Each structure stands twice: as C-alpha cells, then as structure tokens.
Amino acid sequence: MPHTDSHVVGRVFQRGPIAETRRVIELLRRETIGGFLLVAAAIVAIVMANTPLADTYESLRDTKIGYAPWHLDLTVGQWASDGLLAIFFFLVGLELKREIVAGQLRSIRTAIVPVFAAVGGVVVPASIYLAVNWGRDGVDGWAIPTATDIAFAVAVLAVVGRGLPAALRLFLLTLAVVDDLIAIAIIAVVYTEQVKPIPLLVAIVPIVMFAVLAHRWADWFSERRWAAWVVLLPLGVVAWALVHASGIHATIAGVALGFMVPVRRGGAGLAEEFEHRFRPISAGFAVPAFAFLSAGVTVGGLTGLGNMFTDPIAIGVLLGLVVGKPVGILVATWLTVRYTTSELDPSVRWGDLACVGTLAGIGFTVSLLVAELSIGDDITALEHGKTAILIASTASAILAGTVLTARNRRASGSGTSVQSGP
C-alpha cells in the first residue's frame, strides 16, 4: 500500500545535495575510461589464449618473480591478483570511507536502500549457485556471481545510460561500493584457509603508523604530491607484505589502508585527493593488467563451449549473474519500499531499476578473483568458471544496453527530456 506523506522518512533515489551529486557523477566519468581499458585487456587476453600466442601468454602469466625467503616468489599472474589489485582495493577503501562519512551511507535514510539492494544482489545469486552445485565439487565457488564490476558497468552506462535519472546512476555506484564491502568480507573470512597470527599482528604497526601520519600531516600530504610516495607508500608495502604472509588475501591490506585516510582533513579531504591521484593508476594499469592476466581462458571451440554449458559451476555463474543479480536487487528494493517508510522518487521507474539491476550482473574483476580463490587447481573447472563470468558479464551488458537504448529512443521520440546529471 502507498504511504502517506506524513509517514515518509525519505524518497528512494531522490537527488541528493548538488555537490555530492557532482562528485559521484565525476567519479562515474573517470570509471568509464577504466571500464573500456578493462574490456580491451580482457579481449586481448582471450585472443592470445586461443591463438598460436597461447604459449607466450601462459609463459608470461606463470613466470615467477620475487624473493623466495619472504614467500614473495609469485607468478606474474599472482602479482597481479595479490599486488596490483591491492591498489584497486585501496581505492575501494577510500570510497567506502567517503560514502560512510560524507556520502550516501552516512545516514540510515540514504543507506537503507542500496545496502538492502546490495545484500539482495549477493544472497540471490549465491543461492542460485548453491542450488545448482549443492553436493558437488564446485560448491565452494558460491561467491563468484555475487560481485559487481563498477568500472565495466559504468562503461556501459556511459554509452547507453544517459537517459537514466541521475539518482539511479548514483544508486548504481553506491550499490557497487556496498557490494565491494561484502565481497571483501567474503574474501577475508571464507577464502582464508589458515591465518598466521604473528605477521597479522605485526601488520597492525605499519597500518597504525600510516593512519597517524595521514591524519596528523594531512595538509602536508595534500600539498606535496611526492610526500605520499616517499612516506606512506613504504608503510603500505610493508603492511601488504605482512598481510600476505599471514595467509589473508593481500588485497585486504589495501582496504585497511584506504580506511586509514581522513575524509575531512587536507584541503577538500585527503581521501578525495588520493582518489584523484591514484585512480588513474588503478583504472589505467592495475585492473586492466589483472584482467589481461586473468581473463585469458582457452575456449576450445564449439566443443569447449558445449562442455562449459554443461558444467554446474558455469551454469551457476551464468544464472547467478544474469538472473540472480537483477532479481535480487529488484526484490530487495521492492521489499524495502513495501515494508519501510520509504517510497520511490517520481523520476524513477521500476523498469529503470531493473536495468540497473541487470548492469549489476556485470561481475568481472572481483568475480574472476573469487573464481581463482575458490576453484583452486582444477584447471578445467577454473576455465569454465572464468568463461562463464565473461559470457554472463557480456550478456548482462548487452541486455541492459539494449533495453536502455530502446528507452532512450522512446524518450526522444516522445519529446521527453533526458536527464544526464550535472
């Protein structure tokens, strides 16, 4: 039943303060470039893995580099997933803290919908995967279809989603941030086999030093671009190495360090300053490099694809991302509106929300990482899982893009103005 205005706590997807709206939309624009680079890197990897260049590709990915006594003799592929992705997760930590301190997650009224939607977008895909794989060897991969790749999704949104209300585009980003937080928790808790307490406890020292310095001299780090590289980066590297030695996935160190950066100190905020400085490194190099080294799966022609489509792991991933993600987000949002004192903003239609949910089915970077962590040494199963991620992400992008393009044409034909945000 509709709520009366006297009982409404807030409208869902209502446009927020103009400064916050502009900040997040600018972030969306920056993520778009990273999304295109991510897709390009994945395409190159797939081409190399299925041509005479396959041996070269595998040799590069499996080459070991690093100091063995410190347990850092990792393959190039492992350096990408454990090391380069720590940069990506550092930025996730920065954005999470910004959202909690000054963004959509700073109050229950603005946080309730994206939080519940993100939870729905995790629970339903995971449940679908578990239903397909229960009692089978691939059951540990239940978290593979739970992640959303914000860069890839935003790239699609930038091309065909300009007609969506600005509030819904902000919702996609906030939902993805919460989604990342859940994925981080899953990686830290579920996919950590054994924790060595001494390195983990020692890692607290450089993390605390990082936090103290970032807060105490925030203005100094903001005004002098070199200072973070000389002072904070070495502490971050030490913290990363210790977390890696503890048995917890090293990307968690990036999140922890991101949370240590102050939001309201250092000019406009040191977190925002660091985000501007380091996002090009993440979007332009770290994440595409990981995609290149992770997405190179051998398809094996029609026979290989046929085998993939009969593998429960692949079926669970495909159904989880393409069906589970939009259904989970849509149902969770409907339940929030139905059983709380919130209501949809008049500019938002349920069909638009379904498109956003479909975009959330683009589960690229973190899904690939979780596949590597959960499937393990079964090469065939891992390639089937990764191929399913690529197919499901592409299918979600095409489906959402097709619907959004048709929506834009209808709006243009009827003379309806298109909201593009500030």
Side-chain angles (χ1 to χ4, degrees), residues 136-162:
R136 303 175 185 270
D137 292 340
V139 70
D140 290 341
W142 60 268
I144 296 173
T146 62
T148 296
D149 192 297
I150 183 59
F152 195 163
V154 165
V156 176
L157 196 65
V159 175
V160 294
R162 298 291 291 175

Side-chain angles (χ1 to χ4, degrees), residues 23-320:
R23 181 190 73 80
V24 179
I25 288 188
E26 179 59 29
L27 176 58
L28 290 172
R29 288 172 180 153
R30 293 199 301 272
E31 287 281 13
T32 300
I33 299 173
F36 288 123
L37 291 174
L38 174 71
V39 173
I43 291 173
V44 172
I46 294 170
V47 170
M48 290 187 68
N50 291 275
T51 63
L53 293 172
D55 290 341
T56 302
Y57 175 81
E58 292 177 5
S59 176
L60 171 64
R61 184 185 59 193
D62 297 335
T63 299
K64 284 196 172 185
I65 302 173
Y67 189 55
W70 291 358
H71 304 288
L72 292 176
D73 53 333
L74 308 176
T75 66
V76 173
Q78 289 172 326
W79 276 111
S81 62
D82 291 11
L84 291 180
L85 277 193
I87 302 171
F88 166 77
F89 277 100
F90 173 73
L91 288 164
V92 169
L94 287 178
E95 188 57 33
L96 273 170
K97 186 169 182 181
R98 283 180 58 82
E99 288 293 324
I100 292 170
V101 173
Q104 295 288 316
L105 303 181
R106 67 184 180 275
S107 71
I108 294 177
R109 183 180 70 81
T110 56
I112 185 171
V113 176
V115 168
F116 281 145
V119 171
V122 169
V123 171
V124 174
S127 299
I128 291 175
Y129 184 96
L130 285 171
V132 174
N133 286 272
W134 192 258
R136 303 175 185 270
D137 292 340
V139 70
D140 290 341
W142 60 268
I144 296 173
T146 62
T148 296
D149 192 297
I150 183 59
F152 195 163
V154 165
V156 176
L157 196 65
V159 175
V160 294
R162 298 291 291 175
L164 281 178
L168 259 183
R169 289 183 279 128
L170 304 187
F171 167 74
L172 175 62
L173 177 63
T174 307
L175 180 146
V177 167
V178 178
D179 192 292
D180 284 338
L181 177 60
I182 297 173
I184 290 162
I186 291 172
I187 291 171
V189 175
V190 177
Y191 297 120
T192 298
E193 295 181 359
Q194 182 180 3
V195 177
K196 298 177 182 177
I198 293 179
L200 186 59
L201 290 173
V202 176
I204 296 174
V205 176
I207 291 174
V208 170
M209 292 176 62
F210 185 100
V212 170
L213 291 172
H215 281 76
R216 178 65 180 82
W217 287 287
D219 289 329
W220 187 63
F221 287 117
S222 180
E223 294 168 1
R224 295 166 176 80
R225 298 179 68 88
W226 57 266
W229 296 97
V230 173
V231 179
L232 296 181
L233 178 61
L235 291 172
V237 171
V238 172
W240 174 88
L242 289 167
V243 171
H244 182 274
S246 74
I248 295 177
H249 200 268
T251 53
I252 304 301
V255 180
L257 293 168
F259 266 99
M260 297 301 107
V261 179
V263 171
R264 300 187 185 277
R265 294 185 181 181
L270 191 58
E272 183 175 358
E273 178 67 27
F274 279 4
E275 187 180 304
H276 279 284
R277 292 184 197 175
F278 302 128
R279 188 166 296 280
I281 300 174
S282 174
F285 174 68
V287 175
F290 167 76
F292 172 74
L293 293 165
S294 183
V297 295
T298 303
V299 177
L302 293 177
T303 301
L305 284 175
N307 293 334
M308 186 274 295
F309 280 113
T310 61
D311 189 331
I313 291 176
I315 295 171
V317 171
L318 287 166
L319 291 177

